[in-house]
Amino acid sequence: HLSKEWRDELNAAGFAVPAGHSPIIPVILGDAKRTTNFAQKLKEVGIRVSAIRPPTVPAGTGRLRVSLRRGLTSAHLEKFIKAMKEVSK
């Protein structure tokens, strides 16, 4: 349930997230520099995600690796979406 909720909300917020059921959610950002910037800015507000860039993934498909865990609440999701939108400005 948690994976679907987070994927749905990220997609609704305009982020490219593939369908799936895994608790590991890739948020596709494309450019490696943009991906690194997102991860750094999120870290600055207390959100830790991994920036996955080439050569680990094909060029142009940089992504954040969001790992869900038990205990995450709607408030965590709201904070994450808000932070993602702020960084994307």
Side-chain angles (χ1 to χ4, degrees), residues 10 12 14-16 18-22 25 28 46 51 55 59 61-62 65 71-73 80:
L10 282 161
F15 295 99
H21 301 287
S22 171
I25 302 174
I28 312 300
T61 66
R65 182 177 194 257
L72 290 174
T73 65
F80 185 69

Side-chain angles (χ1 to χ4, degrees), residues 9-70:
E9 291 297 321
L10 282 161
N11 277 316
F15 295 99
V17 177
H21 301 287
S22 171
I24 298 172
I25 302 174
V27 180
I28 312 300
L29 297 173
D31 180 70
K33 186 173 181 175
R34 180 174 188 232
T35 302
T36 303
N37 183 56
F38 260 79
Q40 180 59 41
K41 296 289 185 184
L42 291 171
K43 182 179 178 184
E44 290 171 9
V45 296
I47 299 171
R48 198 173 91 195
V49 295
S50 298
I52 311 299
R53 308 168 309 281
T56 306
V57 295
T61 66
R63 63 202 64 196
L64 298 178
R65 182 177 194 257
V66 179
S67 300
L68 303 181
R69 60 176 172 71
R70 180 177 295 190

Side-chain angles (χ1 to χ4, degrees), residues 3-16:
S3 175
K4 180 176 178 1
E5 178 185 22
W6 279 63
R7 287 171 192 272
D8 289 348
E9 291 297 321
L10 282 161
N11 277 316
F15 295 99

